[in-house]
Amino acid sequence: MLKIGIVGAGAMGSIIARSIGSGEVPAKLTGLADLDRPRAEALAGELRAHPMIGGIGDVTRHADLVVEAAGASAVEEVLLEAVLRGKDVLILSVGGLIDLDELIQRAAAGNTAIHCPSGAIAGLDAIKAAAIGTIESARLTTRKPPAGLAGAPYLDETGIDISGLTEPRTIFEGSARDACKAFPANVNVSAALSLAGIGVDATRVRLIADPTITRNIHEIEVAGDCGLIRTVTENTPSDNPRTSRLAALSAVALLKTLTRTLRIGT
């Protein structure tokens, strides 16, 4: 049975842990790590398996695969521990992989598999297939309620105030690379789209703070020699308004796929 460790016991990590604990994912949860140890202990106490609580290294040592659910700032340490110990890893904060090319090459040399779920968007299977040919353009427009964007580094740096918005406002337009750095907790979907398609510098992102909506909405348009791909996903936020429930469920679905003989989709 696959042994899984989770780094991060917040909204995303909790959904994944409970899915393993309930048997939805046929695996064994061996460890939890979180900067807030009491939060990790509380989550572990809910589960029949009672996984050990420790640091990232401890959790990695006892697992076959480690799930990063702690945010972009944790990605490098989680991936490094996985590489050093020869373990596979599942990264939810896909934007944290940007600029880690050397570490990703070390993972390849050491046969460490890096899995990235689709997250809160649809259509990555088609975009991966389209990338076998030629993709001419890739655009993502994300609309979020202001509460889901509060505290983003870009807003603090630019002095943009979205607290009193009464109508939609475009607060960012640029490359996926810049979007991930400006909004590390909000636009991991742009990194996933980029890695599936034409890269973080060629993929364009527009981010809109919209007080008239309650869901996180992602619209993708990709054009190439295969034709035109358009998707729209309207997501219910998780317990953390910065992330969508679908993002956590996509990680659960990927874990289930890794344990199956029959695997559907590209």
Side-chain angles (χ1 to χ4, degrees):
M1 180 174 284
L2 184 68
K3 293 183 291 185
I4 297 176
I6 299 177
V7 178
M12 304 280 276
S14 294
I15 290 173
I16 297 168
R18 291 171 184 140
S19 295
I20 298 170
S22 70
E24 176 71 20
V25 175
K28 180 179 180 181
L29 182 60
T30 53
L32 286 171
D34 195 283
L35 291 177
D36 185 344
R37 186 181 177 93
R39 180 167 70 171
E41 291 173 342
L43 177 58
E46 296 179 23
L47 308 171
R48 286 177 295 178
H50 297 297
M52 59 86 67
I53 308 298
I56 294 176
D58 298 322
V59 169
T60 304
R61 186 181 304 111
H62 292 91
D64 302 314
L65 180 145
V66 181
V67 176
E68 173 279 312
S73 61
V75 170
E76 184 172 7
E77 183 178 357
V78 172
L79 181 54
L80 178 59
E81 287 289 344
V83 170
L84 291 175
R85 301 178 190 280
K87 305 301 177 71
D88 292 340
V89 64
L90 188 154
I91 302 294
L92 271 71
S93 308
V94 187
L97 291 172
I98 295 175
D99 297 330
L100 294 185
D101 294 346
E102 182 178 341
L103 188 51
I104 292 171
Q105 291 173 4
R106 288 180 61 185
N111 293 318
T112 289
I114 304 172
H115 303 282
C116 298
S118 298
I121 53 177
L124 287 191
D125 53 348
I127 293 165
K128 285 164 61 180
I132 301 298
T134 299
I135 292 178
E136 297 161 0
S137 64
R139 297 183 179 87
L140 168 70
T141 299
T142 290
R143 293 176 172 83
K144 289 197 173 190
L149 296 164
Y154 183 81
L155 298 181
D156 293 337
E157 293 167 6
T158 59
I160 296 175
D161 182 7
I162 60 174
S163 59
L165 286 183
T166 58
E167 59 184 28
R169 177 181 176 182
T170 297
I171 58 174
F172 176 87
E173 289 189 83
S175 70
R177 181 186 297 277
D178 290 339
C180 288
K181 293 178 179 179
F183 299 90
N186 303 100
V187 288
N188 282 301
V189 292
S190 69
L193 171 62
S194 302
L195 294 174
I198 55 175
V200 291
D201 295 310
T203 301
R204 308 305 296 173
V205 177
R206 182 184 182 203
L207 184 58
I208 301 170
D210 189 343
T212 69
I213 61 175
T214 58
R215 295 179 174 180
N216 302 322
I217 303 174
H218 303 292
E219 302 176 45
I220 292 172
E221 183 174 294
V222 173
D225 60 4
C226 67
L228 183 63
I229 302 167
R230 289 195 186 101
T231 71
V232 178
T233 312
E234 298 189 14
N235 295 289
T236 302
S238 68
D239 292 340
N240 179 347
R242 295 179 178 83
T243 60
S244 301
R245 177 171 170 77
L246 184 63
L249 297 182
S250 75
V252 172
L254 177 51
L255 291 173
K256 291 179 68 174
T257 294
L258 294 177
T259 63
R260 285 176 173 166
T261 300
L262 177 62
R263 305 181 181 187
I264 307 298
T266 301

